[in-house]
């Protein structure tokens, strides 16, 4: 008999999440029915959306994992294969046939399997479609990326560099800033915790900003948008600065300085969710893999060990203590 461990939500997150909001419980795994397989988690992903979406009390916390099939009664899903699945924070899962973005892992040509949760999965694909399909930067344009030391931002900025743009990353830590400029090729970084963002942007982007990959929202985005050029494009993929505040929080800042910027400069500000691009999911994975193999795209993972540390990894990622994609190795 296999006994799974899983995290359930004990108390709704309120403000910044607390370790005591979740609890690890055990569950006996029942025998498989025809058309099912049993997978054992190898890597779990922790992502900001787990804070954004309200989850039901008593249920397993949401999340994707790379898992190994250890028993199967489903044709095409043999024992020993690896899958990526939205199974939640749990060690063992019974599943039926998978649909994109869940699937048997594509061929990564000896790359680490954990990349299926990052550069060759959700975050890499978010960067790919956000930059290429919404920002559509042209060679020589100036692109600003928020959360630039994290999984999506560090990846998006490198794609903009591949396209020949000047890229400025905004982040909250000098070490991350060194990483994105010295190792990833960003032109500049701004530490939002230390700098006057508006003044720094004016200095580093004297000709204005053409594209903005916005993952932060709030005051920071208000500042960036106010410096955008005529016909600028902003891809709004997230608003992490507001995830831990109640909707009614008086501190919420209107992101869009409407009259003078959006209308007169004819800006295009477009929100997007990655679900829209599921029909092209593996196209992005193949292109990102090719760029990695060609040495044009780099990635970094912060890998935390142990199922009992998933919640700590999640909190550290939200606090900005991790760099690149945050993953837990089970
Ligand atoms: N639209 C979609 O379909 C989609 C899909 C995936 C992800 N996303 C969004 O993309 C964004 C990035 O996700 P990710 O997985 O790559 O996370 P990540 O950037 O790896 O990690 C989150 C980072 O956000 C920064 N941060 C936290 N609170 C902040 C605040 N109040 N102000 C400014 N920065 C803050 C921290 O870095 P610092 O050290 O820099 O503060 C932290 O490391 C999130 O907004 C997420 O919701 C959207």
């Amino acid at each position: 008999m296999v006994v799974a461990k899983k995290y359930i939500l004990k108390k709704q997150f309120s403000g910044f999440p607390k370790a005591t909001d979740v609890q690890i419980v055990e569950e006996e795994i029942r025998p498989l029915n025809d058309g099912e397989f049993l997978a054992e988690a190898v890597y779990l992903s922790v992502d900001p959306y787990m804070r954004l979406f309200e989850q039901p009390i008593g249920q397993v916390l949401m999340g994707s994992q790379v898992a190994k099939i250890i028993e199967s009664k489903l044709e095409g899903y043999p024992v020993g294969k690896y899958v990526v699945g939205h199974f939640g924070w749990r060690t063992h899962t019974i599943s039926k046939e998978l649909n994109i973005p869940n699937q048997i892992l594509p061929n990564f040509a000896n790359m680490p399997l954990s990349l299926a949760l990052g550069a060759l999965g959700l975050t890499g694909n978010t960067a790919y479609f956000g930059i290429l399909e919404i920002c559509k930067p042209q060679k020589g344009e100036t692109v600003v990326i928020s959360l630039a030391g994290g999984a999506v931002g560090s990846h998006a900025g490198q794609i903009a560099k591949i396209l020949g743009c000047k890229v400025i990353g905004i982040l909250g830590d000098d070490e991350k800033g060194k990483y994105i400029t010295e190792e990833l090729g960003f032109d500049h970084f701004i530490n939002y915790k230390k700098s006057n963002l508006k003044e720094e942007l004016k200095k580093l982007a004297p000709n204005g900003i053409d594209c903005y990959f916005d993952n932060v929202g709030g005051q920071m985005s208000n500042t960036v948008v106010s410096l955008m050029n005529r016909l600028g494009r902003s891809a709004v993929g997230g608003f992490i600065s507001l995830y831990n505040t109640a909707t009614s929080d008086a501190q919420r800042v209107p992101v869009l300085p409407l009259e003078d910027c959006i209308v007169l400069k004819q800006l295009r500000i477009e929100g997007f969710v990655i679900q829209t691009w599921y029909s092209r999911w593996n196209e992005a994975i193949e292109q990102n893999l090719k760029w990695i193999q060609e040495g044009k795209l780099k990635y970094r993972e912060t890998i935390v060990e142990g199922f009992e540390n998933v919640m700590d990894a999640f909190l550290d990622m939200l606090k900005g203590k991790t760099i690149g994609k945050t993953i837990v190795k089970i």
Side-chain angles (χ1 to χ4, degrees):
M1 167 77 66
V2 175
V3 177
K5 285 186 188 159
K6 59 186 187 181
Y7 281 81
I8 58 163
L9 188 66
K10 223 167 58 173
K11 193 165 174 292
Q12 208 58 252
F13 296 145
S14 167
F16 197 87
K18 293 181 271 308
T20 49
D21 295 337
V22 303
Q23 181 185 7
I24 297 180
V25 298
E26 293 191 343
E27 174 194 313
E28 284 185 3
I29 295 290
R30 63 166 170 80
L32 292 184
N33 295 322
D34 286 340
E36 293 178 336
F37 66 87
L38 174 64
E40 183 172 24
V42 182
Y43 294 105
L44 287 186
S45 181
V46 290
D47 299 85
Y49 71 81
M50 296 159 185
R51 172 64 188 94
L52 172 61
F53 298 116
E54 193 165 305
Q55 305 182 53
I57 297 288
Q59 287 205 11
V60 181
L61 278 110
M62 60 169 69
S64 284
Q65 55 176 262
V66 169
K68 186 175 185 179
I69 299 177
I70 56 170
E71 231 185 290
S72 182
K73 290 191 172 181
L74 177 59
E75 207 182 315
Y77 290 77
V79 169
K81 281 275 184 198
Y82 289 88
V83 296
V84 58
H86 195 75
F87 298 154
W89 291 8
R90 50 183 301 139
T91 56
H92 297 80
T93 307
I94 292 177
S95 174
K96 296 185 171 157
E97 196 169 356
L98 299 171
N99 295 308
I100 296 282
N102 305 314
Q103 60 181 333
I104 290 189
L105 280 200
N107 181 2
F108 284 177
N110 296 328
M111 296 282 168
L113 301 181
S114 52
L115 292 187
L117 302 172
L120 300 177
L122 173 75
T123 57
N125 285 17
T126 302
Y128 179 91
F129 292 113
I131 281 288
L132 291 173
E133 296 294 342
I134 299 179
C135 284
K136 294 192 167 119
Q138 304 299 306
K139 191 173 178 185
E141 286 191 326
T142 298
V143 178
V144 171
I145 309 273
S146 59
L147 273 60
V152 174
S154 61
H155 194 120
Q158 291 183 82
I159 297 178
K161 284 308 299 175
I162 290 170
L163 298 175
C165 300
K166 172 173 172 174
V167 182
I168 301 168
I170 305 174
L171 36 65
D173 177 84
D174 286 347
E175 276 308 307
K176 292 185 191 178
K178 275 193 202 157
Y179 165 63
I180 66 163
T181 49
E182 293 173 12
E183 290 186 42
L184 305 187
F186 282 54
D187 296 279
H188 305 283
F189 77 88
I190 300 173
N191 183 337
Y192 69 87
K193 291 181 180 164
K194 286 182 169 176
S195 320
N196 179 322
L197 181 62
K198 192 161 201 163
E199 292 313 311
E200 284 297 306
L201 281 172
K202 279 186 185 166
K203 233 187 297 172
L204 298 175
N207 299 322
I209 296 160
D210 302 295
C211 298
Y212 176 38
F213 197 105
D214 182 4
N215 282 318
V216 71
Q219 181 63 58
M220 194 185 289
S221 294
N222 193 303
T223 301
V224 178
V225 171
S226 74
L227 297 174
M228 288 184 78
N229 288 332
R230 189 177 161 274
L231 300 177
R233 288 87 62 204
S234 170
V236 186
F239 46 100
I240 203 166
S241 68
L242 306 178
Y243 289 0
N244 293 314
T245 64
T247 317
S248 58
D249 194 318
Q251 288 180 334
R252 278 195 162 206
V253 177
V255 176
L256 310 175
L258 274 166
E259 298 80 1
D260 56 344
C261 285
I262 299 179
V263 178
L264 298 179
K265 291 184 188 168
Q266 303 175 69
L267 301 184
R268 218 186 76 206
I269 296 184
E270 186 172 340
F272 75 101
V273 289
I274 194 60
Q275 283 82 346
T276 306
W277 306 101
Y278 281 177
S279 61
R280 290 173 55 191
W281 194 250
N282 284 328
E283 166 201 315
I285 291 177
E286 281 163 26
Q287 181 58 64
N288 283 328
L289 176 61
K290 187 161 177 279
W291 279 328
I292 291 173
Q293 288 169 328
E294 291 168 353
K296 293 179 179 161
L297 183 66
K298 295 183 179 149
Y299 61 85
R300 187 176 294 183
E301 300 172 310
T302 298
I303 299 203
V304 175
E305 299 261 343
F307 186 73
E308 66 285 2
N309 293 320
V310 177
M311 188 61 182
D312 287 345
F314 175 57
L315 299 179
D316 281 351
M317 178 274 300
L318 289 177
K319 285 177 197 156
K321 288 188 175 172
T322 60
I323 187 162
K325 175 72 192 121
T326 310
I327 303 267
V328 182
K329 186 170 187 302
I330 305 306

